Amino acid sequence: MSLRVLLIGASGVFGSRIARQLAGDPRFRLTLAGRQSTSLAALGESLGDPAVQMAVLDVAAIGLVEALTALRPQLVIHAAGPFQVQDYRVAEACLACGSDYIDLADGRDFVAGIGRLDARARAAGRLLISGASTLPAFSSAVVDALLPRFSALKTIHHAISPGNRTPRGDATVAAILGYCGRPLRLWRDGRWQWGRGWMSTRRQVFPFGGRWVGLCDVPDLELFPSRYPAVREVAFRAGLELRRLHFGMLAAAWLVRLGVIRDLARHAPRLRRMSEWVLGAGAMWAAWWWSWLVAI
């Protein structure tokens, strides 16, 4: 029998990619869920699979347990970020209705705290997975694969720098902007110290060339010191392909640190659209002046 899969946040950047992978596969009976019926309908039409079902669902609304129970999923994939501002209501609703659960969370506190539900999940015989994303799922897999090459692992510095044309959703942008310029805990010299989001910028050499990268607040910073006890330093950085965009973000981080901008994350949709316009220098200057305006 086909596995009944409920995909929450299906019309987002990552959700739509998962939908395209699962649609048409006879092993799965897919239901796309999200807050906007029009977006779901457009995605469903693009998939070309008449067996795919739709469900308008708001994870923040009252009655989530009842809604999931009515849909009868066997597996819920939660791709509706940003997870930095969410609690565990979706995972708890899955436990209540007898469904397995997996999310794409990259929020540090969210992923690190999911363990509080471990005893309940084991008692219910349910699978509960958080952080099935680039970080920490892929990053920890890479470190595990490299471990046999070292007699001792003392430092983990890893970085990512996507191309400017890589699709990015508002939730992803909001997650990054949420910690720009703000304090974040870092494991340095075998003890917890403090850094600042998108700061401590440095030049990172990738196989495709050098790019600027800055500190990011990700689950790895919290999980790796305990997963790899001998490690004395863990840092993760990210950067943007276009230097003017990267340093525009750094400028915004400084404005947050100085208290000029109070809530950068709420401007995520507009800043994401502006980043897509940046193919020349002029738009970056517009972004720079706009960052000053939003602070007022």
Side-chain angles (χ1 to χ4, degrees):
M1 295 179 63
S2 300
L3 183 71
R4 296 189 301 274
V5 178
L6 176 66
L7 176 57
I8 300 176
S11 58
V13 172
F14 295 108
S16 61
R17 290 186 174 186
I18 295 173
R20 291 187 175 91
Q21 290 294 318
L22 299 183
D25 191 324
R27 295 174 297 174
F28 307 107
R29 189 185 308 171
L30 181 61
T31 298
L32 307 178
R35 292 181 298 176
Q36 303 294 331
S37 59
T38 52
S39 300
L40 291 175
L43 174 60
E45 184 177 352
S46 70
L47 295 177
D49 183 356
V52 172
Q53 300 179 345
M54 313 291 167
V56 176
L57 182 68
D58 186 349
V59 297
I62 298 174
L64 180 60
V65 174
E66 292 77 9
L68 291 188
T69 301
L71 292 169
R72 299 175 58 246
Q74 294 172 291
L75 171 64
V76 170
I77 302 175
H78 186 9
F83 290 88
Q84 283 79 358
V85 296
Q86 292 191 40
D87 55 23
Y88 301 110
R89 68 184 64 191
V90 177
E92 291 172 332
C94 288
L95 294 178
C97 74
S99 171
D100 292 330
Y101 166 92
I102 184 169
D103 66 45
L104 275 63
D106 59 358
R108 177 176 182 169
D109 293 337
F110 186 96
V111 176
I114 196 72
R116 71 187 65 174
L117 300 179
D118 182 64
R120 287 174 56 186
R122 290 177 183 273
R126 299 265 64 93
L127 181 68
L128 192 67
I129 297 177
S130 184
S133 188
T134 306
L135 308 161
F138 288 169
S139 54
S140 60
V142 170
V143 176
D144 288 348
L146 293 175
L147 272 177
R149 302 187 184 186
F150 307 108
S151 58
L153 182 62
K154 298 296 184 182
T155 302
I156 301 176
H157 283 188
H158 50 313
I160 188 172
S161 182
N164 192 54
R165 296 188 183 277
T166 300
R168 58 183 70 89
D170 292 340
T172 301
V173 176
I176 297 171
L177 296 179
Y179 56 71
C180 275
R182 301 192 182 280
L184 57 87
R185 287 205 318 159
L186 291 172
W187 187 249
R188 285 176 175 165
D189 299 324
R191 61 187 178 92
W192 290 109
Q193 301 184 38
W194 291 96
R196 291 271 178 173
W198 210 259
M199 294 187 173
S200 298
T201 294
R202 73 180 193 184
R203 190 74 168 169
Q204 177 69 46
V205 178
F206 294 94
F208 48 80
R211 288 186 183 175
W212 293 97
V213 292
L215 285 174
C216 295
D217 199 18
V218 296
D220 303 34
L221 303 186
E222 195 71 32
L223 301 177
F224 280 12
S226 58
R227 183 177 178 83
Y228 310 104
V231 166
R232 296 185 56 80
E233 183 168 315
V234 178
F236 174 78
R237 289 176 168 84
L240 301 173
E241 176 186 4
L242 301 182
R243 184 180 303 181
R244 51 189 174 274
L245 268 183
H246 180 87
F247 284 98
M249 287 274 289
L250 179 59
W254 271 104
L255 293 178
V256 171
R257 179 174 182 175
L258 295 173
V260 180
I261 295 180
R262 292 172 293 277
D263 186 4
L264 190 60
R266 70 187 181 94
H267 303 288
R270 188 176 300 180
L271 286 174
R272 179 190 59 78
R273 291 193 297 271
M274 292 179 70
S275 73
E276 293 171 353
W277 299 340
V278 178
L279 298 176
M284 188 58 245
W285 284 107
W288 170 262
W289 286 111
W290 183 84
S291 69
W292 281 97
L293 292 174
V294 299
I296 301 175

